[in-house]
Amino acid sequence: MLGGEGHSDPWVKLVDYALVSLITINCVFSILESVEDLAIVHGHIFHAFDHFSVAVFSVEYVLRVWTAVEINQPRFRHSFWGRVRFVFTPMAIVDLVAIVPFYLGIFFEVDLRAMRVLRLLRVFKLTRYSQAMSIMIDVLRQEARSIGAMLFVFLVMLVFVSSVMYMLEHPRQPEVFSDIPSAMWWAVVTMTTLGYGDMVPATVAGRVLGACTAVFGVGMIALPAGVLASGFSEQLRRRREEYLESVDKAVQDGRVKPREKRRLEATRLALGLSSEEAARILEYGVKGGQMHCPHCGELIHRNPAP
Amino acid sequence: MLGGEGHSDPWVKLVDYALVSLITINCVFSILESVEDLAIVHGHIFHAFDHFSVAVFSVEYVLRVWTAVEINQPRFRHSFWGRVRFVFTPMAIVDLVAIVPFYLGIFFEVDLRAMRVLRLLRVFKLTRYSQAMSIMIDVLRQEARSIGAMLFVFLVMLVFVSSVMYMLEHPRQPEVFSDIPSAMWWAVVTMTTLGYGDMVPATVAGRVLGACTAVFGVGMIALPAGVLASGFSEQLRRRREEYLESVDKAVQDGRVKPREKRRLEATRLALGLSSEEAARILEYGVKGGQMHCPHCGELIHRNPAP
Amino acid sequence: MLGGEGHSDPWVKLVDYALVSLITINCVFSILESVEDLAIVHGHIFHAFDHFSVAVFSVEYVLRVWTAVEINQPRFRHSFWGRVRFVFTPMAIVDLVAIVPFYLGIFFEVDLRAMRVLRLLRVFKLTRYSQAMSIMIDVLRQEARSIGAMLFVFLVMLVFVSSVMYMLEHPRQPEVFSDIPSAMWWAVVTMTTLGYGDMVPATVAGRVLGACTAVFGVGMIALPAGVLASGFSEQLRRRREEYLESVDKAVQDGRVKPREKRRLEATRLALGLSSEEAARILEYGVKGGQMHCPHCGELIHRNPAP
Amino acid sequence: MLGGEGHSDPWVKLVDYALVSLITINCVFSILESVEDLAIVHGHIFHAFDHFSVAVFSVEYVLRVWTAVEINQPRFRHSFWGRVRFVFTPMAIVDLVAIVPFYLGIFFEVDLRAMRVLRLLRVFKLTRYSQAMSIMIDVLRQEARSIGAMLFVFLVMLVFVSSVMYMLEHPRQPEVFSDIPSAMWWAVVTMTTLGYGDMVPATVAGRVLGACTAVFGVGMIALPAGVLASGFSEQLRRRREEYLESVDKAVQDGRVKPREKRRLEATRLALGLSSEEAARILEYGVKGGQMHCPHCGELIHRNPAP
């Protein structure tokens, strides 16, 4: 999943693995540091490692900005503005957020807890090494309309259910269902079938409404899940198809030249396909997915893609 | 999602956005007003804003009824009966419910809490600006038979499980499983996997039945979710196809005239499709997605729609 | 959903609706009678209605057995053995269970609570008037192998997880995780994401195992749900296809004769299709789903069924 | 599901059923023994049965290793190294784990609770008699990439949500949200919609974050469920297709010889298909489900498999 699986250069791989390990250990340490007993005993280790990490991340950040012009994209080509543009890409911002709080902490008095949380944002640095997050974001973008429609209905029902519940339960449990925002907390906990049990309707009418809310909520919440699941497989299919098109272009002259191979590899990495999948698609593309009538030899149709 | 996204007239858009904002702020204020501390401090703002909203909604209601005859539908064309018919459409009733409680509150002594809940029904006014609710209702209508079948099995199992649970747990926890309606509340909370924890079986037999109910309930509740999810995508597909038919009609003479374009836009709005989707379907309709007859080689029908 | 929707004879419909109402009211009364306050005040009404119901159900049962020979099935045709065979059909047993406890209660001293539960089994009499339960049972039978496989894995994991959890949590919470059966109750409550909160791991190792169990349980429980949901739509598709075949046979000579129409109606009822669906399939069957090349007139292929 | 359903030799079946029963009773006894009251009263029965089981399992293990060379696979053929290789297969390790703790317990002082848990690992011996586990493992392997991607996003969100929640809730509930690992426990319980209720946010900001986490978690957790469900049906389809290929080979000469029949049966068992399914595929394979070329009219390929 992680660690620059696509690069063929062993040194690039090594650096990638080292950085992934550093980020992971860093997050684990930040989490453990919040446990008081551990902080007292091993505090100095956590501190030393944090200083070391910030040093590495700082060097990494400077190098990334410096080499931004080498990225094969026209908008980063300009020696000054290219680097400025790079600084404002989402991944570069994540990299900056990973180190800035430390330097700010030197000059200003900062709340320790807030510092620790900011330090944990470093976990997002890991997303650079995984296509997972990018696929998720593409799925959300692709199904944004459906998801938006469902969230809208969810919100309208939330307001409706919690206001009626407030009316029904407030007289009986004035401490628990004290106001409509509290009732909304109950409604979310019920509609997502969380059911903490900190707020439970006690009147008959409240329980009937609660039962309907629970049944309705199950359907309401399961809907986006179904849409997301089908969107996810659709997204994977599209990426495979896109790769197949590149393969088709590459094999048009009957064979795959080294230059074409390198370009295919780049496409594969950009689409986040595994090597096995890519190999399967390549084989399909080279063989031609075509089917010929075994009797008259004419092309009939292309088999469905793998 | 919201706010008259389809209208090209900027003034219509502006009014729509203003109304959506007004309804939203109104709901937020009604919710906040139920919090005692906020009501004491900011009560006068909430009141003033409520009066202002009712004034705007009243004007809106009168104007909507007045202009009902302009709607491009025969049943609203009659200058008197058309308006009467309009008053009884669901959206007009929602609009009326949004203002009537206020005027009633002037003449009668009304419970404040009930008033607030009635005021929150204004949230349904938002559904006018979103196709989401109408799609949901169409999905429910389309899958009504399946959903009904599942609800029936759900209810039968509910009665059965809760009566057996009552028999098993009543002797051990007479206060908790006090009667069958209580046991039904437990059964709903368990079958929807809510699990508040306010009622938990304590006997061995009760726990075995509880475990079976939970496992069974998961399947039972997930079924309608699956059906709804597939119904939702089916509904979207149908709407796209309906739009494609309009496109087909429009491009029959080879090009899309301005009058046809406006009609297509109206269809798009009525079906709740996004502009991007509509553009994709239009492109497909114009290019045609042709298939040729294997016998005479002539064009027969199109590839599957996008 | 309920109430003999398929019969054209209005008297049959009336009797069906009356019986459905009787069963429903009977169940509601049995549920309410368990509430002590209501039992004290309205006890005599509940009793009178119960006596009346038993009388009606007894007459219904005798008549059903008596007229069993009229059912259009060879195995019920024999004047004595046919009726005996009928008595042992599931629905006839349900009918018997609905009345026998009452008569037993006259001769023997029976626990009141057990009586009430037995009386609530009458709810299963409703399944006669709905195809829902039969579709569910068919789905379960169709997917029995998959469901069985999943239940097996579920049970193995249940035993494994609960025994490890017992080992981890027993020393810390000897009262709560007192033995492995208790830990199994926790495991079921966690794997179904119920989460009552009556048993919660407190050690670090227990919480890590609990987290894994919850994540694993979600996938484990969602699997059969997905399988059941697809099995459900598959079952509906099969029934539609079966009906289409009958339609195909009926329209072979170009028109649907009255005798064929009646037979189709019987098939529709047996398959539990709605009238609208049947009409849609009939129209498709009569028109012929065929597609002809518009140029050379040859048949190309049958369109997908509705 | 269980019990060597595929073997035609009645003695093999008998032994299989006996072993399955022995393992099942053994697990049930191990579970019951953890209940103190039962251990005191029936302890000697549990002990005697455990000794008997270990004896049987030991004999079984020795026989299995001894006869390993008879397995129709080249890597087990060598009279010494074949058996050594067999000892390191997963099922042989499970068999060893089922008996070793008992012998170790004779020589060393072992914690009773740990012993019982090790004894319950015998439940995995059952997986030999069911294809369920192997199908599950194949599904997981097949969808490993998707599942991995989702787990990665799940973990990143988990770290993010719990660190922010810790910051928000720690000042208000320092005992409950005492450190980030505790907050992570809350986050898992919330994202899986378990909702034990042992940790509940109390601040407004915490509740808003909790609500978002719950809604987001529902989608996040439902995704792998959908992927697994479709992977499961895909896996079943693949196995049916593999069987169809064997059938195709067997029927090439027009009929199925006894030797081919036995080989087909072996394939069926290896793929975990039911006899009915196999029969349906066989019938399909023999009949052929042909399609003809639209150009020269000759047979090309088959209709989609059943």
Side-chain angles (χ1 to χ4, degrees), chain C residues 237-253 256 260 263-264 267-268 271 273 278 281-282 284-286 302 305-306:
Chain C
R237 199 187 54 71
R238 279 199 198 169
R239 282 162 185 244
R240 276 198 293 268
E241 250 170 40
E242 211 172 304
Y243 186 70
L244 181 58
E245 272 174 38
S246 314
V247 167
D248 276 353
K249 254 186 238 158
V251 299
Q252 248 170 354
D253 53 355
V256 185
E260 289 171 337
R263 206 179 290 158
L264 275 180
T267 312
R268 182 184 79 74
L271 295 173
L273 297 174
I281 298 171
L282 186 62
Y284 169 81
V286 172
R302 186 163 205 178

Side-chain angles (χ1 to χ4, degrees), chain D residues 205-221:
Chain D
R207 286 185 168 188
V208 169
L209 180 65
C212 295
T213 308
V215 171
F216 170 84
V218 165
M220 198 58 239
I221 279 285

Side-chain angles (χ1 to χ4, degrees), chain B residues 53-64 99 102-103:
Chain B
S53 305
V54 169
V56 174
F57 293 155
S58 302
V59 171
E60 182 205 1
Y61 183 72
V62 170
L63 286 178
R64 280 201 194 275
I99 46 172
F102 177 85
Y103 294 112

Side-chain angles (χ1 to χ4, degrees), chain C residues 97-171:
Chain C
V97 165
I99 47 172
V100 155
F102 178 85
Y103 294 112
L104 286 180
I106 296 174
F107 303 111
F108 305 99
E109 200 67 37
V110 189
D111 179 25
L112 255 174
R113 253 194 332 279
M115 268 297 275
R116 200 166 296 126
V117 169
L118 282 169
R119 227 192 289 154
L120 272 171
L121 293 181
R122 286 175 194 163
V123 78
F124 285 107
K125 276 174 80 81
L126 283 177
T127 56
R128 184 199 306 281
Y129 305 97
S130 165
Q131 295 287 340
M133 204 63 115
S134 99
I135 292 184
M136 288 291 170
I137 289 166
D138 277 10
V139 170
L140 282 179
R141 200 176 291 149
Q142 176 187 303
E143 304 290 338
R145 230 184 122 74
S146 300
I147 298 292
M150 287 157 180
L151 273 182
F152 172 75
V153 177
F154 180 75
L155 282 174
V156 169
M157 295 313 292
L158 186 69
V159 169
F160 173 68
V161 163
S162 51
S163 58
V164 175
M165 198 46 136
Y166 166 72
M167 194 179 69
L168 296 175
E169 288 289 326
H170 181 74

Side-chain angles (χ1 to χ4, degrees), chain D:
Chain D
M1 209 64 247
L2 296 169
E5 54 172 25
H7 294 285
S8 41
D9 188 334
W11 286 104
V12 175
K13 268 194 176 177
L14 196 75
V15 171
D16 275 358
Y17 277 117
L19 280 172
V20 166
S21 310
L22 191 70
I23 301 165
T24 308
I25 297 172
N26 204 279
C27 288
V28 171
F29 276 19
S30 292
I31 289 168
L32 293 180
E33 207 188 334
S34 75
V35 184
E36 222 166 280
D37 298 352
L38 292 175
I40 291 166
V41 182
H42 303 295
H44 55 286
I45 304 179
F46 296 149
H47 267 77
F49 193 80
D50 187 41
H51 282 59
F52 170 68
S53 304
V54 169
V56 174
F57 292 154
S58 304
V59 172
E60 183 205 0
Y61 183 72
V62 171
L63 286 179
R64 282 201 192 274
V65 174
W66 191 254
T67 58
V69 290
E70 312 268 334
I71 298 170
N72 209 354
Q73 283 185 24
R75 64 188 178 122
F76 299 138
R77 207 162 285 162
H78 191 280
S79 61
F80 177 73
W81 289 113
R83 285 184 177 113
V84 169
R85 269 188 217 107
F86 177 80
V87 165
F88 288 99
T89 56
M91 277 319 298
I93 291 169
V94 165
D95 283 344
L96 192 65
V97 166
I99 48 173
V100 156
F102 178 85
Y103 295 112
L104 286 180
I106 296 174
F107 303 109
F108 305 98
E109 200 67 35
V110 189
D111 178 26
L112 255 174
R113 252 194 332 278
M115 268 296 273
R116 201 166 296 126
V117 169
L118 282 168
R119 226 191 289 151
L120 271 171
L121 293 181
R122 286 175 193 162
V123 79
F124 286 108
K125 277 174 79 80
L126 283 178
T127 56
R128 184 197 305 281
Y129 304 97
S130 166
Q131 295 287 340
M133 204 62 115
S134 98
I135 292 184
M136 288 291 169
I137 288 166
D138 278 11
V139 170
L140 282 178
R141 199 175 292 150
Q142 175 187 304
E143 303 290 338
R145 229 182 122 74
S146 298
I147 299 291
M150 287 158 181
L151 273 182
F152 172 74
V153 177
F154 180 76
L155 282 174
V156 169
M157 296 312 293
L158 187 69
V159 169
F160 173 67
V161 162
S162 52
S163 59
V164 175
M165 199 46 138
Y166 166 72
M167 194 179 69
L168 295 175
E169 288 289 326
H170 182 73
R172 175 82 161 264
Q173 310 184 67
E175 300 293 296
V176 183
F177 288 84
S178 58
D179 40 45
I180 294 183
S182 293
M184 288 175 85
W185 170 245
W186 169 84
V188 170
V189 168
T190 300
M191 282 170 118
T192 56
T193 74
L194 249 182
Y196 282 133
D198 55 341
M199 297 173 75
V200 180
T203 63
V204 171
R207 286 185 168 188
V208 169
L209 180 65
C212 295
T213 308
V215 171
F216 170 84
V218 165
M220 198 58 239
I221 279 285
L223 259 176
V227 169
L228 280 179
S230 75
F232 189 82
S233 59
E234 169 73 12
Q235 186 60 235
L236 288 181
R237 199 188 54 71
R238 278 198 199 171
R239 281 161 185 247
R240 276 198 294 269
E241 250 169 41
E242 211 171 304
Y243 186 70
L244 180 58
E245 272 173 37
S246 315
V247 168
D248 276 354
K249 256 185 234 156
V251 298
Q252 248 171 354
D253 53 356
R255 60 195 200 80
V256 184
K257 288 174 217 140
R259 198 172 46 85
E260 289 171 337
K261 211 168 181 178
R262 254 172 293 135
R263 205 178 294 159
L264 275 180
E265 188 62 15
T267 313
R268 182 184 79 74
L269 283 174
L271 296 173
L273 296 175
S274 70
S275 323
E276 304 90 56
E277 260 179 309
R280 216 164 58 223
I281 297 170
L282 187 62
E283 189 199 22
Y284 169 82
V286 173
K287 272 195 193 168
Q290 298 98 4
M291 192 182 110
H292 295 268
C293 169
H295 304 287
C296 63
E298 290 209 35
L299 179 70
I300 304 160
H301 79 92
R302 51 186 58 246
N303 294 325

Side-chain angles (χ1 to χ4, degrees), chain A residues 145-146 148-150 152-153 156 159-160 163-164 166-167 170-171 178-181 184 186 189-190 193-197 199-201 207 211 214-215 218 220 222-223 226-227, chain B residues 1-2 5 30-31 34-35 113-114 116-117 120-121 123-124 126-127 130 132-133 136 151 154 182 185 188 192-196 198 221 225 228-229 232 236 272-274 277:
Chain A
R145 231 183 121 74
S146 299
M150 287 157 180
F152 172 73
V153 177
V156 169
V159 169
F160 173 67
S163 59
V164 175
Y166 166 71
M167 193 178 69
H170 182 74
S178 57
D179 40 45
I180 295 183
M184 288 175 85
W186 169 85
V189 168
T190 301
T193 77
L194 249 181
Y196 282 132
M199 296 173 75
V200 180
R207 286 185 167 187
V215 171
V218 165
M220 197 59 238
L223 259 175
V227 169
Chain B
M1 208 64 249
L2 295 169
E5 54 173 23
S30 291
I31 290 169
S34 74
V35 184
R113 255 197 326 284
R116 199 167 296 125
V117 169
L120 272 170
L121 292 181
V123 78
F124 285 107
L126 284 177
T127 56
S130 166
M133 203 63 113
M136 287 292 169
L151 273 182
F154 180 76
S182 294
W185 169 245
V188 169
T192 56
T193 75
L194 248 182
Y196 282 131
D198 54 339
I221 280 285
L228 280 179
F232 190 81
L236 288 181
L273 296 173
S274 70
E277 261 180 308

Side-chain angles (χ1 to χ4, degrees), chain B residues 161-295:
Chain B
V161 162
S162 52
S163 58
V164 175
M165 198 46 136
Y166 167 71
M167 193 178 70
L168 295 175
E169 288 289 326
H170 182 73
R172 177 81 162 265
Q173 309 184 66
E175 299 294 296
V176 182
F177 288 84
S178 57
D179 40 46
I180 296 183
S182 294
M184 288 175 85
W185 169 245
W186 169 85
V188 169
V189 167
T190 301
M191 283 169 118
T192 56
T193 75
L194 248 182
Y196 282 131
D198 54 339
M199 297 174 73
V200 180
T203 64
V204 172
R207 286 185 167 189
V208 169
L209 180 65
C212 295
T213 308
V215 172
F216 170 85
V218 166
M220 198 60 239
I221 280 285
L223 259 176
V227 169
L228 280 179
S230 74
F232 190 81
S233 58
E234 169 74 12
Q235 186 60 235
L236 288 181
R237 198 187 55 69
R238 279 198 197 170
R239 282 160 185 248
R240 276 197 293 268
E241 251 170 39
E242 212 172 302
Y243 186 69
L244 181 57
E245 271 173 38
S246 314
V247 168
D248 276 354
K249 255 186 237 157
V251 299
Q252 249 171 353
D253 54 355
R255 59 195 204 79
V256 184
K257 289 173 216 140
R259 200 170 44 86
E260 288 170 338
K261 211 167 181 179
R262 256 172 292 135
R263 206 179 290 158
L264 275 180
E265 189 61 15
T267 312
R268 182 185 80 72
L269 283 173
L271 296 172
L273 296 173
S274 70
S275 322
E276 304 88 57
E277 261 180 308
R280 216 163 59 223
I281 297 171
L282 186 63
E283 188 199 22
Y284 169 81
V286 173
K287 272 197 194 163
Q290 298 99 3
M291 192 182 110
H292 295 267
C293 169
H295 305 287

Side-chain angles (χ1 to χ4, degrees), chain B residues 50-154:
Chain B
D50 187 41
H51 282 59
F52 170 67
S53 305
V54 169
V56 174
F57 293 155
S58 302
V59 171
E60 182 205 1
Y61 183 72
V62 170
L63 286 178
R64 280 201 194 275
V65 174
W66 190 255
T67 58
V69 289
E70 313 268 334
I71 299 170
N72 208 353
Q73 282 184 27
R75 63 185 178 124
F76 298 137
R77 206 161 288 164
H78 191 281
S79 61
F80 177 73
W81 289 113
R83 286 184 176 113
V84 169
R85 271 190 214 105
F86 177 81
V87 165
F88 288 100
T89 55
M91 277 319 298
I93 290 169
V94 165
D95 282 344
L96 192 64
V97 166
I99 46 172
V100 156
F102 177 85
Y103 294 112
L104 285 180
I106 296 174
F107 304 110
F108 305 98
E109 200 65 37
V110 189
D111 179 25
L112 255 174
R113 255 197 326 284
M115 268 297 274
R116 199 167 296 125
V117 169
L118 282 169
R119 226 191 289 153
L120 272 170
L121 292 181
R122 287 177 192 160
V123 78
F124 285 107
K125 277 174 79 81
L126 284 177
T127 56
R128 183 198 307 279
Y129 305 97
S130 166
Q131 295 287 339
M133 203 63 113
S134 99
I135 293 183
M136 287 292 169
I137 289 167
D138 277 11
V139 170
L140 282 178
R141 201 175 289 150
Q142 178 187 303
E143 303 290 338
R145 230 183 122 74
S146 299
I147 299 292
M150 286 157 180
L151 273 182
F152 172 74
V153 177
F154 180 76

